[in-house]
Amino acid sequence: FTSISLFRALLDLFRELYPLRTYSLNLSPEAIAKGKYKVCLEYHIGHCKAPCVGLYNEEKYLVHIEEIKSILKGNISGVIRFLKQKMNEFAEKLEFEQAEEMKQKLIKLESFQAKSTIVNPSINNVDVFSVLDFDDRAYVNFIRVNNGAVMQSQTMEYKKKMDETADEVLAYGISEIKVRTQVLSREILVPFIPDIEFSNVKFVVPKIGDRKKLLELSERNLKFYHLDQEKQESIRNRVPREERLLLTLKSDLNLKELPVHIECFDNSNIQGTNPVAACVVFKNGKPATSEYRHFNIKTVEGPNDYASMDEIVYRRYKRMIDENQPLPQLIVIDGGKGQLGVAVNVLRQLDIIDKVSIISIAERLEEIFFPGDPVPLYLDKKSESLKVIQHIRNEAHRFGITFHRNKRSKALIKSELESIEGIGEKSIDTLLKHFKSVKNISTQSVDALAEVVGKARARIVFDYFNPGSKE
């Protein structure tokens, strides 16, 4: 049972029973008489009685304020007796509407009292204190009970500076509550008698019965509070997810450094055409898309994955070395032992084999190969490390395929224009850049084409798409 839940329950009760104003207007009799204000939405939805226009007089308003104060002090029974008396008075005067209003308030108050009563209602005006002691800190819980209901509950934490004992901390907690609330109940339940005295206050260590249950409730509050504090501290000190992933990856792959910077290579040459490659970059376990790179294969004829891998790895790291760029901590090759061997030879050639770690991942069985080791590593399918490597590999594959498809589409577009005798590659690029597609080029007039590639070439292109035309 917490003070927060108690406060919410009381707030709901007050909203139902006492629709108090929520504004700070000047409600002097003169201001109300002049009609300076109008009722607002709060009045129409039943949250306010509109004292601003004189529909709720000050005397009745102040009576409700006193009732609220009594409830907050734990004197619900007193308010209930008062409401019963008023209900009977209204009934005797045949003022049944006001009597019914009192009756509805009684029902709601008695319902709240029944829900909030946790022990014998005869237990009245009792404070409960308990202490939970640790080496570096201690906790004190305070509960105030009236008519068997918890009216206040609070847990205080104290950081020890001079090895204070549990007795000293408990005494300090009781003194602090006295300062905060300005009063202590005449009976205080405690786990042991503290070395402190107050006038008209009796300390009791309950052994059985409802008072013992109250002390146990206070002690449970302490344990829950302490567990919650530990949980919050654990969250604050928790290693961020990205760092945890990298630490796991470093451990599982037996890397020398934390793989903050990872790069992955993939070849794409569908049906042997337009061979390209892709390099994707991950920083702190996340894609660094601005650093992704495409490669057009320049030195390899036909589909040759090994030669293509040799070229792109060399080009990538030769440039990074020449430009003094920081090398990655880990290189991932999409492929098996063959592609890995090619990449390792390139790193040796560039004299950086000892500066970076390199692995390959074979897609069929998700085998991870290391240089010089014929036996692959099989990571658990649910492993975070495997998921990171798969993510990098899949991203490289996606990026490479997209580039390959775009290049192939452009090649197919160019192929038709290349069949026009007398039109070179430069003119083709100029036409495509201006008109965007072959279809648009085919619908242009000679004059429109001439503005882009000149009259002679324009006539050749126009005649190709419009044979027999007299334009």
Side-chain angles (χ1 to χ4, degrees):
F1 195 94
T2 67
S3 56
I4 294 176
S5 61
L6 175 64
F7 174 77
R8 287 174 178 166
L10 282 171
L11 189 61
D12 291 338
L13 178 69
F14 294 154
R15 283 172 176 166
E16 289 187 67
L17 299 182
Y18 310 106
L20 304 178
R21 63 180 180 137
T22 57
Y23 45 81
S24 57
L25 301 176
N26 174 20
L27 296 187
S28 65
E30 295 78 15
I32 295 173
K34 289 180 181 178
K36 295 179 64 175
Y37 313 114
K38 294 181 179 180
V39 295
C40 62
L41 179 62
E42 292 293 305
Y43 168 76
H44 291 296
I45 63 178
H47 288 174
C48 181
K49 293 290 187 179
C52 58
V53 295
L55 297 181
Y56 195 45
N57 64 55
E58 183 178 1
E59 182 182 353
K60 190 174 182 181
Y61 189 88
L62 292 177
V63 168
H64 287 172
I65 294 296
E66 290 305 316
E67 290 178 18
I68 290 172
K69 287 181 179 179
S70 292
I71 293 172
L72 288 173
K73 291 177 180 178
N75 188 22
I76 295 180
S77 297
V79 175
I80 289 175
R81 286 194 299 271
F82 172 76
L83 291 177
K84 283 181 179 179
Q85 179 185 342
K86 296 295 292 183
M87 181 181 69
N88 293 330
E89 289 177 4
F90 285 129
E92 289 174 2
K93 296 177 183 178
L94 304 182
E95 296 176 355
F96 299 116
E97 187 175 338
Q98 289 89 334
E100 178 63 21
E101 183 182 345
M102 295 298 106
K103 181 181 177 182
Q104 293 303 318
K105 285 188 176 183
L106 277 169
I107 291 172
K108 290 172 181 176
L109 270 176
E110 288 171 346
S111 174
F112 172 77
Q113 187 181 40
K115 290 177 181 177
S116 60
T117 299
I118 57 170
V119 291
N120 192 326
S122 65
I123 297 180
N124 186 40
N125 194 22
V126 171
D127 287 348
V128 186
F129 287 89
S130 61
V131 62
L132 187 61
D133 188 35
F134 295 97
D135 291 338
D136 60 338
R137 67 189 63 193
Y139 304 91
V140 173
N141 178 256
F142 157 68
I143 295 176
R144 177 155 290 166
V145 179
N146 272 326
N147 300 317
V150 173
M151 303 312 300
Q152 285 180 265
S153 177
Q154 185 175 356
T155 298
M156 298 163 288
E157 179 180 353
Y158 301 99
K159 292 183 179 178
K160 293 185 177 181
K161 297 180 179 179
M162 301 177 65
D163 296 326
E164 295 91 338
T165 64
D167 187 300
E168 291 171 326
V169 173
L170 180 60
Y172 185 81
I174 296 172
S175 300
E176 184 172 349
I177 288 297
K178 185 178 188 301
V179 171
R180 290 187 184 186
T181 65
Q182 300 298 312
V183 66
L184 289 174
S185 298
R186 293 190 175 186
E187 181 181 359
I188 297 180
L189 307 181
V190 286
F192 53 83
I193 304 299
D195 188 15
I196 189 172
E197 293 183 2
F198 297 99
S199 60
N200 299 320
V201 171
K202 178 184 178 183
F203 290 104
V204 177
V205 180
K207 301 298 182 181
I208 58 173
D210 291 327
R211 283 172 168 74
K212 176 64 174 177
K213 290 179 182 177
L214 277 173
L215 183 61
E216 290 172 348
L217 172 63
S218 177
E219 291 170 344
R220 283 200 303 274
N221 281 352
L222 278 178
K223 291 176 182 177
F224 287 133
Y225 183 88
H226 174 60
L227 288 173
D228 184 65
Q229 291 295 100
E230 283 192 328
K231 181 179 178 182
Q232 295 301 321
E233 190 170 344
S234 174
I235 291 172
R236 289 192 295 270
N237 297 332
R238 186 179 296 167
V239 176
R241 179 177 180 274
E242 294 82 4
E243 186 178 347
R244 190 188 73 247
L245 286 176
L246 298 182
L247 287 168
T248 303
L249 199 60
K250 179 177 182 290
S251 175
D252 288 347
L253 300 181
N254 196 27
L255 303 176
K256 298 176 183 177
E257 298 180 80
L258 202 66
V260 175
H261 178 178
I262 305 174
E263 297 190 352
C264 181
F265 293 88
D266 175 64
N267 288 326
S268 295
N269 52 37
I270 300 173
Q271 297 177 348
T273 63
N274 307 107
V276 298
C279 171
V280 299
V281 180
F282 274 50
K283 297 285 184 69
N284 293 310
K286 296 180 179 179
T289 54
S290 63
E291 298 185 36
Y292 285 15
R293 294 293 180 267
H294 286 130
F295 294 89
N296 287 305
I297 304 301
K298 299 178 179 179
T299 62
V300 182
E301 294 291 337
N304 188 327
D305 283 347
Y306 293 162
S308 297
M309 185 63 68
D310 183 288
E311 178 185 329
I312 61 174
V313 173
Y314 182 85
R315 286 168 55 188
R316 173 65 173 170
Y317 296 115
K318 180 66 167 67
R319 180 169 183 171
M320 293 184 78
I321 293 169
D322 292 343
E323 295 178 357
N324 290 320
Q325 296 183 36
L327 296 171
Q329 286 82 40
L330 177 63
I331 300 171
V332 179
I333 303 297
D334 181 17
K337 289 186 290 186
Q339 285 92 339
L340 176 63
V342 169
V344 168
N345 288 335
V346 172
L347 298 183
R348 283 201 182 99
Q349 183 182 347
L350 294 172
D351 198 27
I352 58 172
I353 188 64
D354 294 328
K355 297 179 181 179
V356 296
S357 297
I358 184 169
I359 63 170
S360 71
I361 177 169
E363 189 167 357
R364 190 171 67 88
L365 296 175
E366 305 293 49
E367 300 168 310
I368 296 176
F369 291 95
F370 294 83
D373 190 346
V375 180
L377 171 68
Y378 294 94
L379 291 173
D380 187 285
K381 299 299 181 185
K382 297 181 181 179
S383 151
E384 287 188 321
S385 295
L386 181 60
K387 289 178 181 178
V388 172
I389 296 169
Q390 287 173 328
H391 185 192
I392 296 169
R393 186 269 315 281
N394 295 341
E395 185 69 357
H397 190 62
R398 178 199 63 78
F399 190 59
I401 288 292
T402 301
F403 180 52
H404 184 272
R405 285 173 178 165
N406 292 339
K407 186 176 180 182
R408 210 164 45 134
S409 297
K410 291 179 182 178
L412 291 173
I413 292 171
K414 278 189 173 184
S415 64
E416 184 173 4
L417 297 177
E418 286 172 348
S419 65
I420 304 175
E421 190 174 345
I423 299 299
E425 186 175 346
K426 186 175 180 180
S427 296
I428 291 172
D429 289 339
T430 302
L431 286 167
L432 286 172
K433 184 177 181 180
H434 187 82
F435 295 111
K436 308 302 181 185
S437 69
V438 175
K439 183 178 180 180
N440 287 342
I441 295 171
S442 68
T443 60
Q444 302 302 315
S445 65
V446 174
D447 291 339
L449 293 169
E451 291 179 4
V452 179
V453 292
K455 291 184 178 180
R457 294 185 181 85
R459 172 54 63 180
I460 295 173
V461 173
F462 181 83
D463 289 345
Y464 175 81
F465 288 109
N466 304 277
S469 174
K470 295 181 179 180
E471 183 180 333

